[in-house]
Amino acid sequence: PGGTFEMGTRREDLPRLQEMYGVRHVEMLLPEVPRRRVAVAPFWMDATPVTNGAFAAFLRECPDWRPGAIDPRLHNGAYLLHWRGGECPPELADHPVAYVSWYAAEAYARWAGVRLPSEAEWECAARGGLQGAEFPWGDEPPRPTRANYAGSGSGTTTHVRSYPPNPWGLYDMAGNVWEYCADLWQPSAEGEVERRVIRGGSYGGAPLNLRVAFRDSHPATGAGPHVGFRCARDG
């Protein structure tokens, strides 16, 4: 619905979080600081991460983004590594697409007439109207019935909609795959690899990573098994 919300974490909460989640180095949490009031315009967010099946439809219409055709400068050599012969495995059609670079995610969004969400939109959506909540479902700790994370023991992605949605009807805002946002992590110096913000944790993530305020980054070219994306559009 748009409006304002409290984004991030207060510095004075860091010692509590370190103790609660066994974080030895506070540097892991510093990117969340400070907590501040942020305004977002009304927007729509995909109910699920983009699936392998949806990404396959994009490739059928945009063959320049198929494995073997994609510009090598736009990925790290692992692009769609899990697709046999460059084709979507039928059993993974409803799993989040992974092994995609940020550039490929952005190209998919353009093709679909949408865009990648801003980081502020992502956190607003993940909170689902639960101001101050630790996770998309509230303050209760993660457990295998709530999300696909390391504690679930799956070791890989699961079907989207396998776990309950948050109050706004959004699935997998915690776990399954990290999700690219539109935002740069920080400006890159000449010669450095560009990094983009990722949010939400993955099937291999710890409870700390599933928190709605937790921030991390990933190389824009970094196609890997644990990072995917979902899309947004203006309201």
Side-chain angles (χ1 to χ4, degrees), residues 142-144 147-156 175-176 201-207 209-210:
R143 58 174 186 249
N148 181 20
Y149 70 111
S152 306
S154 70
T156 188
N176 221 356
S202 74
Y203 61 81
N209 307 132
L210 306 187

Side-chain angles (χ1 to χ4, degrees), residues 131-165:
Q131 291 285 352
E134 192 84 340
F135 301 99
W137 54 80
D139 290 326
E140 298 81 7
R143 58 174 186 249
T145 56
R146 288 199 171 110
N148 181 20
Y149 70 111
S152 306
S154 70
T156 188
T157 58
T158 51
H159 293 280
V160 299
R161 303 179 189 267
S162 292
Y163 300 89

Side-chain angles (χ1 to χ4, degrees), residues 70-126:
I70 181 175
D71 187 330
R73 296 171 297 178
L74 303 180
H75 68 107
N76 60 355
Y79 181 65
L80 295 180
L81 184 66
H82 61 320
W83 284 25
R84 296 184 293 269
E87 299 297 329
C88 172
E91 68 275 14
L92 297 181
D94 289 331
H95 285 227
V97 69
Y99 287 105
V100 288
S101 66
W102 181 90
Y103 300 109
E106 203 268 339
Y108 171 94
R110 286 199 310 270
W111 166 78
V114 291
R115 56 179 172 79
L116 295 180
S118 71
E119 186 179 10
E121 288 174 329
W122 193 98
E123 186 168 325
C124 177

Side-chain angles (χ1 to χ4, degrees), residues 145-228:
T145 56
R146 288 199 171 110
N148 181 20
Y149 70 111
S152 306
S154 70
T156 188
T157 58
T158 51
H159 293 280
V160 299
R161 303 179 189 267
S162 292
Y163 300 89
N166 78 354
W168 283 350
L170 306 177
Y171 296 81
D172 289 333
M173 296 302 286
N176 221 356
V177 290
W178 288 95
E179 298 178 7
Y180 288 118
C181 294
D183 307 55
L184 276 170
W185 179 247
Q186 59 188 18
S188 301
E190 186 176 354
E192 289 184 343
V193 174
E194 181 181 285
R195 300 184 72 88
R196 294 282 172 167
V197 173
I198 56 173
R199 289 300 206 106
S202 74
Y203 61 81
L208 174 76
N209 307 132
L210 306 187
R211 296 171 47 253
V212 291
F214 190 82
R215 304 179 68 229
D216 209 343
S217 68
H218 196 68
T221 56
H226 59 301
V227 181

